[in-house]
Structures are given as C-alpha cells and as structure tokens.
Amino acid sequence: MAHAIVEYTDNLGPEADIKGLLVEIAKTMAETDGIFPVGGIRVRAIKLEDYVVADGAADDAFVNIEVRMAAGRPEVFKEQFFDALFEMAKTHFAPIAAKRFFALSMYVQDLPAQSYKQNNIHTRFA
Amino acid sequence: MAHAIVEYTDNLGPEADIKGLLVEIAKTMAETDGIFPVGGIRVRAIKLEDYVVADGAADDAFVNIEVRMAAGRPEVFKEQFFDALFEMAKTHFAPIAAKRFFALSMYVQDLPAQSYKQNNIHTRFA
Amino acid sequence: MAHAIVEYTDNLGPEADIKGLLVEIAKTMAETDGIFPVGGIRVRAIKLEDYVVADGAADDAFVNIEVRMAAGRPEVFKEQFFDALFEMAKTHFAPIAAKRFFALSMYVQDLPAQSYKQNNIHTRFA
C-alpha cells in the first residue's frame, strides 16, 4: 500500500506534464518485485491555484510530493528507492528548473499504526 | 476536536454520494457522548481529478479517509470507534465495491502537540 | 524550508481575504532573520467546497492551517513564533468570528526525516 500526493502550482502550465509524472511514480513503485503491491498504488495530484512562494515577488513555482506507505519496508530499501524516485522527479523537471525559479521537494513517511483498508484491485494482480 | 478529510477519485461519479458519507461521519462522531465535542467536528472532501491507480490500466477508483484528532482519547475507545466508522464506510460503498475495482482506506492519527484553536461554534452546543 | 497549507470553507466568501492571509503568513516567516530562509517559503490555500461542520445545521465556517518545517528549530523559537502567527491569524479573521460561527485552527509539525529537496529560488536571496 503506497500513497503519493503531488501538489503543484498552476503557474507551471502544461509543460510540467504532471500526469506524466504521476504515471512515472506509479510505474516506479510497481517495479519493486512486490515491495509495493501494484494493486495498492494510489498516486494523485492536487493543483494549487492560490499560493505565495518566497517573497511573492516573482513567478516562483513549486512541486511537493508526499509519499505515505504502510510501515515495515526495510530502511535500506526506502533509502535507495526514494533516492532514485527523487532523481527521476528531478530529471522530469530539469527543463523547467533550468529556466525559471522552481522548488521541488519530496517527503516520505510511514502511515499511522491505526490503518484500515479494503481493496479489490489486488484481485486483478493475484 | 476532530478532523476528517475524504479524498475521492472523480471517476466514482454521483453514485458514491460523498456528501452523504460526510454527513454520516460527522453524525457518528457527534454521537460519542462528548468524546468528540460536536462543535469541533470538521469533515470535508477533496475531489481528485488527476490520478494513477495500480497499473493505470483500468478505471480503478479509490477513497481515502484521513482522521486527525487531539491526543488523549483512550486507545480502547479509538479502536472500537474507528472499527465501527470503517464498517460504516464499507457499507456505504458496498454497492460500488461489488461491481468495480475500488480501494477504500482510512488512517487515524493524533494531531501534533503544537496546536492552536479558537472556535465559537462550541457556544451553540454549550 | 517551511510549508503552510491553509484549508478554508468556501462559505466564507471574499471577506475572508485568504490571499491576504497567505501573504501575511509568508511575510511573517520571511522576517525571522533566516530561521526560515525566504527561498524555502511555500504557502498555499485549498478551497473546500464539500464539508460538514459540527451538526451540519448551520452555516458554520472554518479555516485550518497546517505548518510543516524541517526539524531543528529551537523549541523556544517555535513556541514564540507560532503563538504570534496564530495571533495574527485571529486578528485577520476577527471581523468574521465576531458575527458568525467560525473555527480557526493551526497545527505545527516537523517534516519527516526522509526528505528531499532541490530549490533554485534560494539563489535569488543569496
């Protein structure tokens, strides 16, 4: 079970290809030999329309990725996997970061202990 | 003080009756003999319009409920209350889960220690 | 690096001046002698269009502010800074709280240990 939420400022425009990023994140998670079961992958975007970045003086843009997953993945896996995921995100936005003020961030944490789930999507991959 | 945020994919359509779910969650919280003071209940939905679920190949849908409350409720209450709340949510979505790929999740956690509040809604229930 | 997310119910209308609040939050964070580097400030709003507050019987409104920052700021700074920030928010909404049912809350927490960032906005303030 893995959740990713991608917040992005709407001044990025279509060049940011947010849908493409969501597809890449989901695909990267799916290619982990079952460490992230495919049926549990849920990646979504939130478009931000109202924001103030830094001193508010420039057309600054940002993308913030929050990842939450059930506890229990080995620390060494998490470090390697998310290092690679962030490299992928940096590559995705490299053309944008090369020409405008842009901040990219990603935060990874475990889901709370008190969790509930029901999911029939897993049956498609059983 | 209890917060609930219901994220839902917009491919669910009106059959999901998200507003009905919000009403049910708020009502269930209100019927706890003051453990969740009525004036502090804040339940809201976030409609997701951009997402990739599982392998992205099917019209998968999901609902994710995040609950946050001030620390201090007894563990036994939290277990019983949220078990029942999740059963209610499963019942709410049973017709949908019976006919399409659908994932439902709920995560419960305490609010941070550094919290601030001002709320005159409580005066209506004093 | 400081993130703030302001959720607000859309029944507040334009009188709430949410954009003005975002500007005030960003400005307050910027005036901390570098404790919050200006280039890392990211303040945004989420408009809530679907919600149930308290018993759902009245036109209750709420604003919820979530602040997340990299760990390491001194506790005494955090207490003083966020006490003042919340006072500012209360003042901002005082005309609204004086005439309708309204709840204001703010939660402050550190970002997860597993964090990633790339940010060229800092170069503008170097």
Side-chain angles (χ1 to χ4, degrees), chain A residues 1 3 5 8 18-19 22-23 26-27 30 38-46 68 111-125, chain B residues 7 46 48 50-55 57-58 60-64 66 69 78-79 82-83 86 90 97-98 100-109:
Chain A
M1 178 168 36
H3 292 267
I5 301 178
Y8 67 99
I18 297 297
K19 186 57 180 280
L22 302 189
V23 169
K27 189 164 174 289
V38 178
I41 295 169
R42 277 156 274 186
V43 183
R44 60 272 205 188
I46 303 277
R68 298 176 88 203
L111 288 163
Q114 199 174 357
S115 291
Y116 297 86
K117 57 183 175 173
Q118 181 188 50
N119 184 346
N120 67 17
I121 302 172
H122 291 298
T123 61
R124 208 164 73 236
F125 303 94
Chain B
E7 290 179 285
I46 303 277
L48 301 172
D50 217 0
Y51 41 86
V52 176
V53 183
D55 60 354
D60 297 320
F62 75 86
V63 169
N64 180 48
E66 304 264 349
M69 68 199 136
K78 284 162 61 171
E79 188 175 325
F82 290 106
D83 284 2
F86 194 65
K90 282 200 290 188
R100 65 183 291 174
F101 291 115
F102 174 70
L104 176 66
S105 52
M106 184 173 79
Y107 305 110
V108 181
Q109 61 187 330

Side-chain angles (χ1 to χ4, degrees), chain A residues 15-34:
Chain A
E15 184 187 4
D17 185 18
I18 297 297
K19 186 57 180 280
L21 178 69
L22 302 189
V23 169
E24 287 178 273
I25 293 172
K27 189 164 174 289
T28 305
M29 286 177 162
E31 292 169 347
T32 54
D33 288 324

Side-chain angles (χ1 to χ4, degrees), chain B residues 16-62:
Chain B
D17 186 18
I18 296 297
K19 187 58 180 280
L21 178 69
L22 302 189
V23 169
E24 288 178 272
I25 293 172
K27 189 164 175 288
T28 305
M29 287 177 162
E31 292 170 346
T32 54
D33 288 324
I35 294 181
F36 293 120
V38 178
I41 295 169
R42 276 156 274 186
V43 182
R44 59 273 206 188
I46 303 277
K47 181 165 73 170
L48 301 172
E49 299 176 340
D50 217 0
Y51 41 86
V52 176
V53 183
D55 60 354
D59 188 35
D60 297 320
F62 75 86

Side-chain angles (χ1 to χ4, degrees), chain A residues 30-77:
Chain A
E31 292 169 347
T32 54
D33 288 324
I35 294 181
F36 293 120
V38 178
I41 295 169
R42 277 156 274 186
V43 183
R44 60 272 205 188
I46 303 277
K47 181 165 73 170
L48 301 172
E49 299 176 340
D50 216 0
Y51 42 87
V52 177
V53 183
D55 60 354
D59 188 35
D60 298 319
F62 75 86
V63 169
N64 180 47
I65 305 171
E66 305 264 349
V67 181
R68 298 176 88 203
M69 67 199 137
R73 272 86 181 179
E75 286 305 312
V76 64
F77 164 79

Side-chain angles (χ1 to χ4, degrees), chain A residues 83-119:
Chain A
D83 284 2
L85 193 67
F86 193 65
E87 288 304 312
M88 181 273 282
K90 282 199 290 188
T91 302
H92 181 91
F93 291 113
I96 285 170
K99 69 183 179 199
R100 66 182 292 173
F101 291 116
F102 174 70
L104 176 66
S105 52
M106 184 174 79
Y107 306 110
V108 181
Q109 60 187 329
D110 287 342
L111 288 163
Q114 199 174 357
S115 291
Y116 297 86
K117 57 183 175 173
Q118 181 188 50
N119 184 346

